[in-house]
Amino acid sequence: MTLAPPPPLSSSSAVRLRLVSQPAQGRMPRRIDGVWWPRSPDLASELPKLLGGLPHVWGQVTSALVDQAVWSPFPGRLLVANQVVRLRRTTARRSPSTVCLLAPGRGRWDLLVVPPDATAAEAGRLMETMATASKDSMGPGVAVR
């Protein structure tokens, strides 16, 4: 198991994440819950920042399924904020890449992953596409972190 360093507190390291707003009553099924733009291909350093930026109502994520091709080698488990997160790999090529987060008793969340080396313009387009798609399917209200 690998211990994840605590995320730095500088604003330049803030998680780049756009989430689809959750409906007030119940949870409607959808394929994608948001978009995440990590700063590097180092999952062991990026995942703690992502988990720290998620809404508390998502609960404690205990498992993440990620596309192996996107990330540099990573361990099978990671200790994040005194919580063990099991990391699973998929070798199936997907475009775009995703990360699937599981929180027992709370649910599953799927996020598109913008490649870490994407330009700001490319990432902006992908995140705006997510905002537009969510407005079309859910109504207004996309949270940006």
Side-chain angles (χ1 to χ4, degrees):
M1 178 176 4
T2 300
L3 298 176
L9 298 175
S10 72
S11 62
S12 65
S13 68
V15 65
R16 298 180 294 189
L17 177 67
R18 181 171 285 217
L19 300 175
V20 174
S21 293
Q22 298 296 321
Q25 297 289 324
R27 180 165 156 48
M28 295 177 63
R30 73 179 147 272
R31 286 188 58 192
I32 297 297
D33 297 290
V35 180
W36 174 40
W37 183 20
R39 296 182 188 282
S40 79
D42 181 5
L43 186 64
S45 70
E46 295 295 328
L47 190 63
K49 296 172 203 169
L50 171 63
L51 298 181
L54 295 176
H56 291 288
V57 297
W58 284 24
Q60 288 195 338
V61 171
T62 61
S63 181
L65 175 66
V66 298
D67 295 338
Q68 181 172 322
V70 173
W71 305 101
S72 55
F74 56 88
R77 295 180 299 166
L78 190 63
L79 185 62
V80 179
N82 295 319
Q83 174 74 28
V84 175
V85 178
R86 183 173 175 224
L87 303 177
R88 296 180 25 225
R89 300 163 174 81
T90 179
T91 56
R93 296 224 178 246
R94 292 187 196 148
S95 183
S97 178
T98 61
V99 59
C100 173
L101 305 172
L102 301 172
R106 296 294 180 107
R108 167 188 170 155
W109 293 274
D110 294 280
L111 303 174
L112 293 178
V113 178
V114 176
D117 60 352
T119 67
E122 292 168 329
R125 271 194 308 277
L126 283 170
M127 291 184 141
E128 187 57 36
T129 299
M130 182 67 199
T132 303
S134 68
K135 286 177 186 174
D136 292 344
S137 65
M138 299 292 297
V142 176
V144 179
R145 297 200 187 269

